[in-house]
Amino acid sequence: MLHSTACLCLLCDIVATPELTFANYKTEVVLLTVIISLVANYFYGTGKNNDLVKTWEKPIAEVLKANFSLVGDGKKVLEWDSPADMLFYASGRRHCKFVQGHIQLKARQDVIAIANDLAANNQEKVEVEVTLNDDEFSGFVFAAIPRKRSKAVNRDRYDISTFTKAVGNDKISPKVALCSENADATAQLLASGLEEILADEKALLEELYVTDSPEVKPESHDFKREKKLLAVIRLPNADDEGIKKFKETLEFVFYLVDYIPEAIALRPESVRKLSKARDEAYKEFARMAEQDRQDVLAKTLAEKRRLELEEVERMSPEQRRKWEEKDRKRQLKKEQGKRVRRIR
C-alpha cells in the first residue's frame, strides 16, 4: 500500500504543470511588443503624412492651376510614390515645356528613417524642376545653395563644378553660397527679387539652380542638353502664415520662368564667352562623336569591300584580271592622295 502511494505521488510530480511566470516568456513578450509598436507607428506615420498631404495639396494645386493649363492627369494633382513621397506634373505654359515636382515628407512610418532625419536635421521640402524652352535665351549656369552644402554640390554636380565659381555678395545671407558662371547673368537674375529672398534667413527657398548642362557628367557624346530651372522649397508649419509664405515662394519660382527669357539680356561678349566655355568643356565629347563617325564609316567601307570581293570570286579569269588592275590603280591613287595631304 505504501509502495502504491509513493508511486502515485511520483507520477503527480512528473505530470504537474510548470508555474507560468513573465520570466519564462520574456523574449516573446518583448518581440511581440516591438512588432505591435512598429505596426502602430507605421499606421500612425502613414496617417500623419496623409493629413499633411491633404493640407499642402490645396495651395500647390492653386499655384499650379494658375500657371499651367494641364495639371496632373486632369483629375488628381498629386500622386503617391511612397508613404513619404508625392509627385506632381503640369504642362501648358509659355517659356517652358513642363514642370515636375517632388514633395518629400519625413518617413514617419519608418522608425529608422525617423532617427536618421533627426540625426541629420532633415527638413520636409518640395523640389520643383522646370524644363525651359531651348531657344528663348542664352544658356548659363547659376546656383544659390546653403553654404554648408556648397562642397558637396560642387563635387556631385557636373554643371556646377565645370562652369561656375564661387562668388561673394554682401547683400545676401552669409549662410547662402552663390555659384556663378557669368557676372552679367548673375546680376540680372539677382535683380528679379531673388537677392532680397536670399538675404532673408527665414526664407523658404533653400536652393535654386539655372542650368543648360547636365547635372551628371555624360558618358557619351549624344547626351541631351536641356535648359532647366530647379528649386528646393522648405515646407514650413502648415498654418495660415506658413501656407501663405509657401505659396509666395512657389509663385516666385514660376515668375522666374518668365523673367529669365524675357528680362535677362546678355551682352554679345558674354554670349561668346558662354559658347566658348561649352566648346571647351565638350571637346572630349566632340572627339568621341568624330570617332564614332569614323567607326561607322570604316564598317561601311569594310562591308562594301567584302561584297565587292564576293562579286570578284564569281568573275571569269579575264574579268578578274581587269578588276585587279583597276583596283591596283585605285589603291595607288588613294595612297598618293594621302601623301599630298601629309605634305600640306
Side-chain angles (χ1 to χ4, degrees), residues 30-73:
V30 170
L31 288 175
L32 183 60
T33 302
V34 170
I35 291 171
I36 292 174
S37 299
L38 290 174
V39 172
N41 180 77
Y42 178 86
F43 285 106
Y44 168 79
T46 301
K48 180 68 174 177
N49 280 353
N50 282 336
D51 292 340
L52 281 172
V53 165
K54 290 176 183 177
T55 300
W56 288 112
E57 183 173 19
K58 183 179 178 181
I60 291 173
E62 287 175 352
V63 176
L64 289 176
K65 289 178 179 179
N67 282 274
F68 295 88
S69 60
L70 177 62
V71 177
D73 60 2

Side-chain angles (χ1 to χ4, degrees), residues 332-344:
L332 182 61
K333 185 177 181 181
K334 187 184 296 185
E335 287 297 323
Q336 289 173 342
K338 289 181 180 179
R339 284 197 293 270
V340 169
R341 284 195 295 271
R342 282 197 293 267
I343 293 173
R344 288 177 182 174

Side-chain angles (χ1 to χ4, degrees), residues 164-175:
T164 72
K165 61 181 180 180
V167 294
N169 187 308
D170 296 335
K171 296 181 180 179
I172 66 173
S173 168
K175 295 181 179 180

